[in-house]
Every structure is written in structure tokens, then in C-alpha cells.
Amino acid sequence: MWRRGRSPNTTMELLFVVTLLWSEALCGSPSVQIGGLFPRGADQEYSAFRVGMVQFGMADFRLTPHIDNLEVANSFAVTNCFCSQFSRGVYAIFGFYDKKSVNTITSFCETLHVSFITPSFPAEGMNQFVLQMRPDIKGPLVSLVEYYKWEKFAYLYDSDRGLSTLQVILDTAAEKKWVVTAINVGNLKDERKDEAYRSLFQDLEIRKERRIILDCEQDKVRDIMEQVITIGRHVKGYHYIIANLGFVDGDLSKIQYGGANVSGFQIVDFDDPVVAKFDQRWEALEEKEYPGADIRIRYTSALTYDAVHVMTEAFRFLHKQRIDMSRRGNSGDCLANPAVPWAQGVEIERALKQVRVDGLTGNIQFDQYGKRINYSVTVMELKNSGPVKIGYWNEVDKMVVTKSDLYPNDTMGMENKTVIVSTILEAPYVMLKKNSELFQDNDRYEGYCVDLAAEIAKHCGIRYQLRIVGDGKYGARDAETKIWNGMVGELVYGKADIAVAPLTITLVREEVIDFSKPFMSLGISIMIKKPQKSKPGVFSFLDPLAYEIWMCIVFAYIGVSVVLFLVSRFSPYEWTLEEPEDGAMPLTTESTNEFGIFNSLWFSLGAFMRQGCDISPRSLSGRIVGGVWWFFTLIIISSYTANLAAFLTVERMVSPIESAEDLAKQSEICYGTLDSGSTKEFFRRSKIALFDKMWQYMKSAEPSVFVKKTSEGVLRVRKSKGKYAYLLESTMNEYIEQRKPCDTMKVGGNLDSKGYGIATPKGSPLRVPINLAVLKLNEQGTLDKMKNKWWYDKGECGFKDSTNKEKTSALSLSNVAGVFYILVGGLGLAMMVALVEFCYKSRAEAKKMKVAANTLSSPQHTGNYTHTLSSPQHAPNFNVLSPSHQPNYATYKEGYNVYGIESVKI
């Protein structure tokens, strides 16, 4: 608001030089010395003072100012400046004061009979030589409270402005049985005032105090309102009365659309012709020469301008009456002892009080104590369209309401009005048509929200125009400026009437705007790049059972075989004598056992493979072992068979993450959300340890993991090669998953549960009709039909394509390659074993034949054998071999041996 290029002191000095040059231009005309005490920073007030000097100065009479710039809260500085002005021979002093310096100034004025004209707050008591340019606000304030029928409210006052208004409020409260909570906000330290204001309003909220009077100047009102907006106390249900005379001087744009009722008073009526004419001249001033002229004149500056008018009229009257106003003797020493009052001071005081003019602040008239009388104050209320007059107050008629409206922030009717619908370009909610340049207005767009807006308009009977939000954001409040952006900001600041978009219903948004019933339910989900389908391994047929199960089966197989071997050895029923062929006499009396270790392994393997075996246990213990093994293999084989089809026919995708927990505990995959959205707010405000950990990572990640648009986040997922996960609403995640190039997927469940709603400004008359329309569309099934239309019916990834299912169910060679490998390997192993057996057996047979040949070729054995054959009488008798030769007999039992020319079966 203020020019920062030069310090206030320098500005004042330069302006004073300009004023002196103007005074010299009027040399020769009667001059009256006027003092001026301006606080630092009051550039606009001083500019108004100078403009008044120029405006009311004439050739036959002029005022000559002597300006001092000081800190009005410093009584010592005020004393020095006042005495300096008095020693210069000034006839009256214009200036400002505060609570600390008011007594010093009034004391000097009473003692020295010097008139002091001030726009500061009215001083308490009867001060003869002080003229109060500012009207008293006590009467208008009490009348406004009575008009609103307040019986319980909080009164926040600045003690630097005095306590007279507070006293009147408390006296009236005692009379009318009001409940008033009075709080002094004038003694708060600057470095902690924001925190103190927030704490104060939180305490008031606990007490259910939602009607508040702010008896402060505009700078303090601005600070308080900033904190009110920060903590969300500027919404519907709250009512504030600003108890000063410059309602339109402050910046009310931030609270204007919040929903709270704000009332106040205005002493400068900008609709008045006199004020309007001055305002035109004020706007034409150069800001460099008149600091503060770049903004509308404040009420304190208007009071300053009127003060110059009053002084000019008074001294012109005295000049015409030829009253001697010369200073004599020691009248220039304000600290003289005893003090010498100025003899003509009373005449000047009387002349000032007799002035009656119309100024920027209306009728200017004073009583015998220098206070304004017969003045009128405009009563204002803040609406969505801006400050509006609802009435006025004067001393005769008191409170007069010209526009009755107990609900000042209700929006105007929607009849014969085109409703502005704010939305955002976000597929599939709102999209530009392919040939959008050939269409106009709403016909340029298509999508779910476009259809929804049309249905809502049809049910509510309104005309509407779609408008894309300028900054492309949904809506969040800036942490520093406290200003809302996006679609929420457009609703809060009156740029749109409705927002139809995927706008999440949240607490912070609900505090500043109204939402309809949810038209779609959803939650935060995780989007990742779809991993490549894992190719089946060579031994994929082993996948139906876990590795641990296969190992247990192997150990069980070996264990059962060993137990069966031991049981067969211990059980006598497994031992049998070998029966000879053709009823011959048994060659041996030894028992045999079929379940050796190899036969036991073979029996267990045959049972496991469901092929059976040519031997089986004879003993009860052996059969128990076989029975439990058969039962075991039955369950295992059935389970394996049941899972085998699924594992061989489905190509599975191995996802690197499956949930938010997986994201939080790893560091390879980055993850982020949309900036300025509800998802980001969810993580920022969450008190759950997991989500808080994720938020701490996201806000400190470099480079930033936040994206400006959803499309940017999806593109980042697709290009990151699986190293970035995007957190977004589940509905959008499902939609993108059905769009080409079909390379994204949703993993895990939703992290929360929420809904999308249609938003309207606080207090909008469209809220109820929109709610009813949404409920009706939901009951008719229209919302579900629209979702199916834009999500699945127009899907591009074959979500409902049955042919794809048939292709995925067909087995390929790669699925069963391992079985063929085992078959080929088994056949090869059998051939190798057969070859080894043949070689081993051939070698063993060769050795045995060689031993047998050597035995038969010896002389003793040859003679005996020949003799036996040559004796006829002994023909039927064969020579039985000795026991030492019995192994050879067993060896050749099944074959034929050739001895010489004849062949004999042994």
C-alpha cells in the first residue's frame, strides 16, 4: 500500500519543501501559521493535508503549515514538537495522538489555550481546546447490536484507543442483560501476535462465541482477519462487526466469500456527489508527489482533509472580523513558569467550534466540547458482491434500515442468470473433443463431469457455462498467504458459482465451501508401471508346490522306504523259503526277503507315482506303512493336480510392491502425489505412523516427487522403468489402467475412503437443489451408467475380452518343457545304466567262465567225468558236485553250458 522507495522522514521533508514553494507563490496574501504533527507512516494523511491546503487556499487568505514527523506514542517527543510548534507562533495545531500522548497534548492545550484539531479517536472527558474530527461510534455500535438482537458476544478492543466505548457497551449489557466477553488485544507483542490471535479465537470457539465485535483500527483488524482465515473462522455461522468508521478501507476480499457475516460502519459515502468529485481529483494525483494517492482515500485521510477545511473556514471568519491574533510577550514559551495562556486562543477555539460545513465525512458540526454532532454514519454489510449499504445511523433517527437482510452473505437469485461452472481438464471427467475448435462453449467438452453437469442443470432448471480453472489446480490453501487456489479459490472468491469436477470432499475445504452429497466413492490408491509377465521356467511344473514341500516329500519318500525296509527285516512274515521249479527238491533252506533297500525304494516310488509294484508287503506292519504312504500320496498328488492347471495356464506378473507398507520400507522406488490436492493434504495431516513416514519422505525427496497434473504423474510412472509410484484416487487409477499403452496397474487396496462432491460457495441457494439432483441420479442408476460408459465401455486394454482369456489358458511348450527334459534325461540315464550293467556283467561272466574252464581242464576232473560217461551201468547216475562247487551250480542253473561236443542242461 505504501511506497517503499524512500523513508517517511525523507518523504515528509520533500513534501514540506513543495508546500513552502506553494506558499511562496501566494506571497502578499494574509498568512496564518498552522502546526502539523504527523506520525511516521501516515503518508496518505499528509497528502490529504496538502491537498486540502491547496484546495481551500485563496489569494486573499492562506494557511502556512509547519510540519513535524514524530512517534506519537513517545510523550517526550510529543512535548518537544508541541513546544517547537508553539514557539513558532502557530495559531492552531493539527495532529494525531494515541493513548500515551493524549493527556500530554490535552494538558498543553488547556494550559496555553491552543486549539488542537485531530482525527484520532475521541478523547475521554471535557477538553475545551480539542476538536474531535472523528464522530463517536458508541451510538451506532449499540444500535447495530440491538438490530441484530445479539445477547451474547465477544468484544475485542484495542486499549490504545481508550476505554470509553467499552464502558458504554458494558453499561448497556448490564441494562439489557447481555453476556459480553471483553478481551484486550492492544497489548499483544508484535512478534507473537499471530499465535496469540489464533489461540484467542480457538478459546472463543470452545466457548461457542461466534459473534464478535472488533473495536480496532484497520491495521489491527487486518492482522486479526488474517488469522481468522488461517484457522477457518471466516465461514458460515460466524458474524463480525468492525467497530471503526472505515469499513471499505480494509481488504475484505479474502473473507468476502468465506460465508461469515461481516458488518461495519462507513463515514465516507463514496456515492455522495461531493465525495465522488473529490475522488476523481484524488485518482488523478501523481503517486510520486502524493504518496497514498494510488489507493482510495481512507477515512482518517478524509478527516484530515475536512480538518483543513474547518481551520480555513474558522480563520477566514476571524480575518473578516479583523480580530487581533498577534502573539506578545513570553507567549511563545510553553514551559514558562507560570504558564502564560494565549489571550486570543479562546477566540480561535470559539471560531473553530462555530464552523458548519459539508465535507467528505458528511455534515461537520461541533458542540461546546469540540465533539461532532448531527453526523450520519452508513451501516455496511459484506456480501459476495462486495460491501453493501443496509442503512444509516444518526443522532435523531438512530438505526434506520433501508435494505433489510439478516443473512447478508446469501447469494443472489439464479433466475435469468447463466451459472458459471468451474471444472478442470482431467480424463475421463472433462476432455476436449477431437474437433473441439469446430464447437463453441459447452459443446467443446465431453466426459463424465460434462454429462453430470448437464443432468444437474436439467434437474435444477438453470443455464450454465463450463469454464476451465485458470491455474489447473483443484484447490489448496497457501501456507504463507492463506489464499485458496484452484477451483476452491474460484468459489471462495466469487469467480464461479459451482464446481463440477473430481473434487474430493475434505474438512479444510468444507470450512470454506459447501459440498453436495458424494456422486462417486473412492480412495487413495497406488499406481505403478505394469511389470513384464514372467516367462514360465523349465521346471514350472514344480511351482504348484512350494520348495519346502518338495523337500519334505523327498525326505518323506526316503524315510518311508527306510522304515519299510526295517519293518520287513524285523517282521518274520516277510521272510520266505524259495520254492524250486517242477516240484524238485529245494536246493537250500535259507529264507529270502523281497523288501531289500532297493525294492523298498522302488515300492515307495511306484506308490507315489500311482503306478503300483509287483511286490507288496505281507506283514501287518509293512501294510500299515504302505497304507499311510498311499494316503499321504493321495492328498499330495490331488493337491498338486488341482494347482497345476492354474500355474501352467496363467502367466503371472511379479509386482515389486503390493501395498503402502512395501512402499514405505523400501528406498529404490520413489513415490509422490499431485501438488495442491486432497491426496497431498491427506498425507500431510495424517497421524498414522505409516502415512506420516511416507509424508516425511515425500516432502524431503530430491528431486521433487510431486507433480502439477495427473497426466504428468502418469507419464512419470511410464517413463521411470518401475522406479516411480504415483498415489492418486482409485477411480482415476482404474481409468488409466484401461487406456493405451496399457502399461500401468493398480496395486494393493485403497488407503482411505472418501467421495467426490459438487461444490458451491457458502450459503449458495443452489446447494439444496444440487443435493436433491445428485440423490435422484443415484437412485435412478444414472451415475453408475455414466461411470460404466466412460470407464469400461470405452476401455482400450481388453478388460472384458473373452478371447484374451482363451489365449492365456492355452498351454505352450515352455510351460511343460521341463517334463520333456526329465523324460529325455530319464531315457538317456536308463541307456547309460543299461550299458554299464552290460559291461559290468559281461566282464563278470568272462571271469567266471575262465575260472570254470580252468577247473574242468585239470586231469583229475577230466578222468572222473570220462569214466562216468563210459560206464553204461552208471549211465543214469551223475556225479554230484561237492559243496565247494555248489556256487558254480547256482550260477549255471538257468542256462546251458557246452562241454566238448554234447550239451547238458544243468
Side-chain angles (χ1 to χ4, degrees):
M1 181 179 294
W2 303 105
R3 177 73 57 177
R4 306 295 184 186
R6 69 172 60 118
S7 65
N9 288 332
T10 305
T11 303
M12 288 295 186
E13 293 171 359
L14 292 176
L15 294 177
F16 180 57
V17 171
V18 174
T19 303
L20 290 179
L21 293 176
W22 165 78
S23 300
E24 293 174 0
L26 296 176
C27 60
S29 60
S31 176
V32 176
Q33 305 297 319
I34 298 297
L37 303 179
F38 286 86
R40 294 187 176 94
D43 288 354
Q44 192 189 67
E45 284 77 5
Y46 183 62
S47 296
F49 183 84
R50 290 177 50 231
V51 170
M53 287 291 181
V54 176
Q55 179 70 26
F56 302 113
M58 296 182 180
D60 59 339
F61 178 79
R62 62 187 176 87
L63 300 179
T64 303
H66 297 278
I67 306 301
D68 281 322
N69 185 251
L70 73 160
E71 182 63 47
V72 295
N74 189 336
S75 297
F76 181 76
V78 170
T79 300
N80 285 339
C81 291
F82 191 93
C83 290
S84 174
Q85 296 279 4
F86 187 72
S87 64
R88 294 175 186 172
V90 297
Y91 293 88
I93 299 176
F94 171 86
F96 293 79
Y97 56 69
D98 70 354
K99 181 183 177 182
K100 296 179 180 179
S101 59
V102 60
N103 293 331
T104 301
I105 291 177
T106 56
S107 177
F108 275 120
C109 292
E110 292 292 332
T111 302
L112 301 174
H113 291 185
V114 176
S115 295
F116 187 81
I117 302 93
T118 178
S120 298
F121 61 89
E124 301 175 14
M126 307 302 178
N127 302 296
Q128 179 181 355
F129 291 92
V130 177
L131 266 73
Q132 307 285 351
M133 294 299 302
R134 181 183 302 190
D136 203 334
I137 202 173
K138 302 182 187 71
L141 181 58
V142 172
S143 296
L144 187 60
V145 172
E146 292 176 344
Y147 168 71
Y148 287 129
K149 299 180 181 180
W150 286 9
E151 295 181 355
K152 182 176 182 293
F153 57 90
Y155 184 85
L156 277 57
Y157 65 96
D158 186 353
S159 58
D160 291 341
R161 301 176 61 194
L163 305 176
S164 59
T165 306
L166 172 62
Q167 188 61 50
V168 171
I169 290 293
L170 295 179
D171 292 343
T172 308
E175 178 185 349
K176 297 182 177 295
K177 297 182 180 181
W178 294 345
V179 179
V180 180
T181 303
I183 303 173
N184 182 13
V185 295
N187 55 1
L188 299 179
K189 296 182 179 180
D190 290 342
E191 60 272 13
R192 300 189 61 184
K193 64 180 181 181
D194 292 346
E195 180 181 352
Y197 289 147
R198 290 194 294 268
S199 177
L200 169 62
F201 277 91
Q202 289 170 355
D203 292 340
L204 292 177
E205 180 65 19
I206 295 175
R207 300 178 186 178
K208 304 299 181 181
E209 295 283 4
R210 297 194 171 187
R211 296 173 174 176
I212 301 167
I213 296 177
L214 302 177
D215 184 10
C216 311
E217 291 296 342
Q218 280 298 344
D219 55 348
K220 195 173 292 291
V221 170
R222 181 183 63 250
D223 295 339
I224 292 175
M225 282 302 180
E226 285 181 355
Q227 302 311 313
V228 166
I229 295 173
T230 300
I231 60 178
R233 301 293 186 266
H234 66 306
V235 297
K236 190 174 183 179
Y238 293 87
H239 194 162
Y240 299 91
I241 295 179
I242 300 176
N244 60 46
L245 297 173
F247 185 76
V248 301
D249 293 350
D251 182 10
L252 301 174
S253 60
K254 295 180 182 178
I255 198 174
Q256 180 173 347
Y257 305 99
N261 296 332
V262 183
S263 307
F265 309 96
Q266 183 68 28
I267 191 64
V268 181
D269 185 4
F270 288 96
D271 294 333
D272 185 87
V274 175
V275 180
K277 185 176 180 180
F278 171 83
D279 198 31
Q280 291 178 356
R281 295 199 303 267
W282 180 260
E283 292 178 355
L285 296 176
E286 285 290 337
E287 199 275 334
K288 293 182 179 179
E289 184 177 356
Y290 293 92
D294 57 327
I295 59 176
R296 176 175 280 188
I297 190 169
R298 295 189 294 266
Y299 83 98
T300 52
S301 302
L303 291 172
T304 302
Y305 179 84
D306 286 347
V308 176
H309 193 183
V310 170
M311 290 188 292
T312 303
E313 291 297 325
F315 285 109
R316 182 180 290 115
F317 171 77
L318 292 173
H319 177 67
K320 290 180 180 180
Q321 296 296 324
R322 301 183 182 277
I323 297 176
D324 183 16
M325 295 182 294
S326 59
R327 305 282 292 272
R328 302 182 181 88
N330 63 347
S331 60
D333 186 3
C334 70
L335 299 178
N337 191 12
V340 180
W342 183 21
Q344 286 75 24
V346 177
E347 294 290 339
I348 296 175
E349 174 254 334
R350 290 175 181 173
L352 288 169
K353 291 179 180 178
Q354 291 175 1
V355 173
R356 182 171 183 176
V357 295
D358 288 330
L360 299 181
T361 57
N363 178 58
I364 301 174
Q365 190 176 352
F366 303 94
D367 63 8
Q368 59 180 338
Y369 302 107
K371 299 183 183 298
R372 288 277 295 268
I373 59 174
N374 296 330
Y375 60 90
S376 178
V377 175
T378 303
V379 181
M380 309 288 292
E381 285 184 343
L382 183 64
K383 298 188 177 183
N384 285 343
S385 57
V388 176
K389 299 178 185 178
I390 66 164
Y392 64 89
W393 183 96
N394 59 40
E395 293 177 324
V396 177
D397 301 324
K398 302 303 180 181
M399 183 77 177
V400 177
V401 178
T402 58
K403 185 177 181 180
S404 179
D405 189 358
L406 289 178
Y407 303 96
N409 238 9
D410 282 352
T411 55
M412 57 189 302
M414 296 298 170
E415 296 83 3
N416 301 321
K417 177 184 176 182
T418 299
V419 176
I420 302 300
V421 178
S422 179
T423 188
I424 189 171
L425 284 176
E426 193 79 80
Y429 301 98
V430 179
M431 302 173 288
L432 284 171
K433 293 181 179 179
K434 294 182 178 180
N435 299 323
S436 59
E437 63 277 0
L438 302 179
F439 301 93
Q440 293 181 350
D441 300 330
N442 300 341
D443 296 334
R444 300 172 57 231
Y445 306 103
E446 65 177 355
Y448 179 90
C449 285
V450 176
D451 293 349
L452 179 60
E455 292 289 339
I456 295 294
K458 182 172 66 175
H459 283 78
C460 297
I462 58 175
R463 297 194 306 269
Y464 71 98
Q465 179 181 353
L466 293 174
R467 181 181 297 174
I468 305 301
V469 61
D471 57 8
K473 296 181 179 180
Y474 287 90
R477 184 168 54 194
D478 188 271
E480 296 180 358
T481 63
K482 311 304 178 184
I483 296 177
W484 285 89
N485 58 22
M487 290 178 287
V488 177
E490 291 198 344
L491 293 176
V492 170
Y493 303 126
K495 298 179 181 179
D497 301 305
I498 309 175
V500 181
L503 192 61
T504 307
I505 303 173
T506 63
L507 174 62
V508 292
R509 289 174 177 169
E510 188 73 43
E511 290 177 345
V512 296
I513 58 177
D514 288 333
F515 279 101
S516 69
K517 301 297 182 182
F519 61 82
M520 186 179 293
S521 298
L522 62 144
I524 298 175
S525 62
I526 305 172
M527 173 191 289
I528 64 171
K529 185 175 177 62
K530 187 179 295 184
Q532 297 295 329
K533 294 182 179 179
S534 58
K535 295 182 179 180
V538 174
F539 298 100
S540 60
F541 64 89
L542 298 176
D543 292 340
L545 299 181
Y547 171 78
E548 295 83 358
I549 297 180
W550 285 116
M551 294 302 299
C552 291
I553 291 175
V554 171
F555 288 129
Y557 164 70
I558 297 176
V560 167
S561 300
V562 172
V563 169
L564 183 61
F565 170 73
L566 294 177
V567 165
S568 299
R569 288 295 173 181
F570 285 111
S571 177
Y573 299 102
E574 293 292 346
W575 294 89
T576 57
L577 293 174
E578 183 178 356
E579 296 180 1
E581 296 180 356
D582 301 332
M585 294 294 293
L587 299 177
T588 177
T589 60
E590 294 183 3
S591 299
T592 60
N593 193 326
E594 294 180 337
F595 282 93
I597 187 61
F598 290 106
N599 280 351
S600 297
L601 292 171
W602 178 250
F603 172 82
S604 299
L605 181 62
F608 184 77
M609 295 297 182
R610 312 297 295 275
Q611 299 301 317
C613 184
D614 55 350
I615 59 175
S616 61
R618 297 179 181 179
S619 65
L620 178 61
S621 58
R623 291 179 178 179
I624 291 175
V625 173
V628 296
W629 176 243
W630 289 342
F631 176 78
F632 172 82
T633 57
L634 172 66
I635 301 302
I636 293 296
I637 296 302
S638 299
S639 302
Y640 174 81
T641 306
N643 289 336
L644 181 62
F647 276 84
L648 291 183
T649 58
V650 177
E651 292 182 335
R652 293 174 295 166
M653 294 182 294
V654 181
S655 175
I657 57 172
E658 294 293 344
S659 63
E661 290 82 357
D662 295 343
L663 268 182
K665 67 184 180 182
Q666 55 83 43
S667 57
E668 293 184 1
I669 301 176
C670 302
Y671 50 91
T673 69
L674 179 70
D675 201 2
S676 299
S678 61
T679 304
K680 181 180 179 181
E681 285 296 311
F682 167 80
F683 284 100
R684 188 176 69 85
R685 293 175 175 269
S686 178
K687 302 300 181 183
I688 301 176
L690 173 63
F691 300 148
D692 182 65
K693 179 181 179 181
M694 296 175 68
W695 168 249
Q696 296 300 328
Y697 162 77
M698 287 190 286
K699 74 176 184 178
S700 60
E702 291 293 339
S704 175
V705 294
F706 300 109
V707 295
K708 296 181 179 179
K709 294 183 179 181
T710 301
S711 57
E712 180 182 341
V714 175
L715 185 63
R716 189 167 177 178
V717 169
R718 287 171 170 165
K719 291 186 177 181
S720 63
K721 298 181 179 179
K723 298 301 181 183
Y724 181 78
Y726 184 46
L727 301 165
L728 74 167
E729 280 82 0
S730 57
T731 51
M732 181 61 66
N733 200 347
E734 294 166 358
Y735 172 78
I736 296 174
E737 188 175 357
Q738 294 299 315
R739 291 300 176 270
K740 292 181 179 180
C742 308
D743 56 352
T744 64
M745 64 180 292
K746 173 187 173 184
V747 294
N750 294 340
L751 307 188
D752 68 340
S753 178
K754 51 191 175 183
Y756 288 151
I758 298 174
T760 57
K762 281 288 184 180
S764 172
L766 286 172
R767 181 186 181 185
V768 174
I770 289 176
N771 261 333
L772 296 176
V774 171
L775 292 175
K776 186 175 182 180
L777 291 174
N778 187 36
E779 292 176 357
Q780 292 176 346
T782 306
L783 297 179
D784 292 333
K785 292 179 182 178
M786 288 193 297
K787 184 173 181 180
N788 288 331
K789 171 185 175 182
W790 293 103
W791 263 259
Y792 305 113
D793 295 348
K794 296 185 178 183
E796 299 172 348
C797 296
F799 181 77
K800 297 182 179 180
D801 192 353
S802 59
T803 58
N804 286 345
K805 293 184 178 180
E806 294 176 358
K807 291 180 180 178
T808 55
S809 62
L811 286 176
S812 63
L813 180 61
S814 59
N815 294 110
V816 294
V819 179
F820 286 93
Y821 290 157
I822 290 179
L823 176 62
V824 174
L827 295 177
L829 179 63
M831 295 294 294
M832 292 178 61
V833 171
L835 181 62
V836 171
E837 287 179 341
F838 175 79
C839 295
Y840 175 79
K841 193 66 177 179
S842 298
R843 186 176 180 182
E845 290 293 335
K847 288 182 179 180
K848 291 176 181 178
M849 291 182 64
K850 185 176 181 180
V851 171
N854 292 335
T855 302
L856 294 175
S857 62
S858 61
Q860 180 179 358
H861 286 83
T862 305
N864 292 336
Y865 189 71
T866 305
H867 175 72
T868 304
L869 292 176
S870 59
S871 301
Q873 61 273 22
H874 298 289
N877 298 322
F878 289 93
N879 192 17
V880 180
L881 298 177
S882 63
S884 61
H885 296 130
Q886 191 169 347
N888 291 334
Y889 173 80
T891 302
Y892 296 102
K893 173 182 176 182
E894 297 296 334
Y896 294 90
N897 198 3
V898 178
Y899 296 95
I901 300 174
E902 298 180 18
S903 75
V904 181
K905 183 175 182 180
I906 300 176

